[in-house]
């Protein structure tokens, strides 16, 4: 059995490509999901990857979930904090519920999921944490004050934790994907999405596998000196400096 990787939201979209990529690289993968049992079971049947259901915004569920994965599969070597949601709308019309749901799932999850794995990584002097932010956490996006705030927070969290864990052999990096062809992007109104694709110099949406390839690199021995990095993959839609 290979080293263990947890991929949150690892059953659909970008996460499913990451789960598959890490399995190919030899990891024993635990892919988590929130509630779409049908998709998760189909994913598990297709790939043979273990799936686990818990809400990344619930601290107690995360602690129990990580404990279950550790007991069943072994110590966690890689954590990919990928689970995320959108609740888009103009700020002047946004409810506190839409603000809070997005902040809890996309940002609080950095705490709730990283906390239960960090002591063991520090004790073993080994671990890779990869956080999925977004182009919209770098540049801001109209209709996404909640999501842009959460994803910018993920960048700050990554930079701070990377400094704390560097001497302990634990790397912490962050990927900022541009618009990737998944259900999340499919939910954007068609006319708006056409306009967005028009702003991408490469002329197309990204593919989930293009993000998964970078995650795989970040887990490789060659990436041991890369930590605290903010890595942009967006078809040149936004040229960011971190
Ligand atoms: N980029 C450029 N223009 C945008 C835009 C965007 N992302 N979002 C909205 N607009 C423009 C619309 O094209 C429209 O322009 P016109 O008046 O010239 O037609 C104007 O803003 C008003 O938009 P709507 O008519 O759609 O207004 P609405 O009140 O019905 O809806 C909205 C507002 C909910 C913000 C909706 O426009 C929307 O969902 N926009 C998409 C926001 C977005 O980019 N979400 C990304 C989701 S995917 C993701 O988040 C993954 C990731 O990390 C990249
Ligand atoms: P997606 O297709 O909507 O898949 C989301 C995954 O996250 C699903 O497995 C979902 O589980 C899980 N999830 C959602 N809320 C959860 C919760 N509270 N607890 C546990 N799991 C939860 O999304 P995606 O497009 O692949 O996006 C993946 C990540 O990349 C997100 O963080 C997103 O913000 C980020 N991102 C996406 C894009 C893009 O263009 N797609 C761009 C930049 C960044 P269920 O199946 O049970 O719902």
């Amino acid at each position: 059995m290979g080293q263990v990787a947890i991929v949150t939201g690892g059953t659909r979209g970008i996460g499913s490509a990451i789960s598959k990529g890490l399995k190919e690289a030899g990891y024993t993968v635990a892919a988590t999901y929130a509630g779409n049992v049908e998709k998760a079971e189909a994913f598990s049947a297709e790939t043979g990857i273990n799936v686990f259901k818990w809400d990344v915004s619930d601290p107690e569920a995360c602690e129990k979930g990580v404990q279950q994965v550790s007991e069943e599969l072994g110590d966690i070597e890689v954590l990919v904090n990928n689970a995320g949601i959108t609740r888009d709308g103009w700020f002047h019309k946004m409810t506190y519920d839409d603000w809070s749901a997005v902040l809890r799932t996309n940002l609080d999850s950095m705490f709730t999921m990283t906390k239960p794995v960090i002591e063991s990584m520090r004790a073993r002097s080994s671990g890779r944490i990869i956080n999925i932010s977004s182009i919209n956490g770098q540049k801001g996006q109209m209709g996404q004050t909640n999501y842009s705030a959460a994803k910018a927070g993920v960048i700050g969290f990554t930079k701070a934790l990377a400094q704390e864990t560097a001497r302990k052999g634990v790397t912490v990096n962050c990927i900022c994907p541009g618009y990737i062809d998944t259900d999340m992007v499919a939910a954007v109104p068609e006319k708006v999405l056409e306009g967005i694709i028009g702003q991408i110099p490469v002329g197309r949406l990204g593919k989930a596998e293009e993000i998964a390839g970078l995650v795989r690199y970040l887990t490789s021995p060659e990436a041991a000196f890369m930590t605290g990095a903010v890595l942009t993959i967006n078809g040149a839609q936004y040229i960011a400096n971190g």
Side-chain angles (χ1 to χ4, degrees):
M1 208 156 66
Q3 288 181 309
V4 179
I6 293 183
V7 182
T8 68
T11 58
R12 283 203 289 127
I14 295 172
S16 70
I18 295 171
S19 297
K20 287 185 207 170
L22 292 182
K23 186 184 178 203
E24 273 169 28
Y27 287 93
T28 299
V29 176
T32 81
Y33 66 104
N36 194 331
V37 180
E38 203 181 314
K39 279 274 170 68
E41 284 179 353
F43 171 78
S44 185
E46 176 206 326
T47 60
I49 290 172
N50 307 282
V51 296
F52 296 83
K53 177 173 171 293
W54 75 75
D55 178 354
V56 294
S57 71
D58 176 346
E60 224 172 275
C62 293
E63 217 167 289
K64 280 190 190 149
V66 168
Q67 197 180 341
Q68 184 191 353
V69 173
S70 309
E71 282 168 10
E72 289 180 17
L73 305 177
D75 287 335
I76 315 304
E77 175 64 15
V78 173
L79 171 65
V80 186
N81 281 315
N82 165 76
I85 58 166
T86 54
R87 294 238 188 131
D88 293 354
W90 304 120
F91 181 69
H92 62 279
K93 294 182 188 168
M94 189 175 285
T95 62
Y96 179 70
D97 191 43
D98 286 344
W99 171 267
S100 174
V102 168
L103 266 290
R104 280 187 283 112
T105 303
N106 296 277
L107 184 57
D108 286 8
S109 60
M110 297 297 129
F111 181 92
T112 57
M113 279 304 303
T114 307
K115 200 75 200 308
V117 305
I118 198 74
E119 289 292 7
S120 153
M121 287 182 176
R122 288 172 64 92
R124 287 179 291 114
S125 294
S126 178
R128 302 286 166 102
I129 296 170
I130 297 150
N131 303 320
I132 307 299
S133 175
S134 165
I135 183 176
N136 292 343
Q138 295 173 299
K139 72 175 185 60
Q141 173 56 54
M142 63 172 84
Q144 289 199 308
T145 48
N146 48 4
Y147 185 86
S148 299
K151 292 302 192 184
V154 171
I155 294 173
F157 172 78
T158 301
K159 290 178 174 176
L161 187 62
Q163 293 175 57
E164 289 188 14
T165 60
R167 297 222 172 168
K168 289 285 180 187
V170 180
T171 71
V172 188
N173 292 291
C174 171
I175 300 178
C176 295
Y179 284 73
I180 310 298
D181 191 4
T182 69
D183 294 345
M184 184 180 273
V185 164
V188 173
E190 199 179 334
K191 194 171 144 264
V192 175
L193 185 57
E194 271 171 31
I196 291 169
I197 294 172
Q199 297 161 11
I200 305 174
V202 169
R204 64 167 173 87
L205 295 174
K207 297 176 190 155
E209 292 71 23
E210 291 167 334
I211 308 303
L214 182 52
V215 171
R216 202 162 148 170
Y217 169 72
L218 289 171
T219 64
S220 71
E222 291 76 18
F225 198 56
M226 180 173 276
T227 190
V230 178
L231 302 159
T232 294
I233 312 190
N234 66 26
Q237 185 183 351
Y238 180 69
I239 309 297
N241 297 312

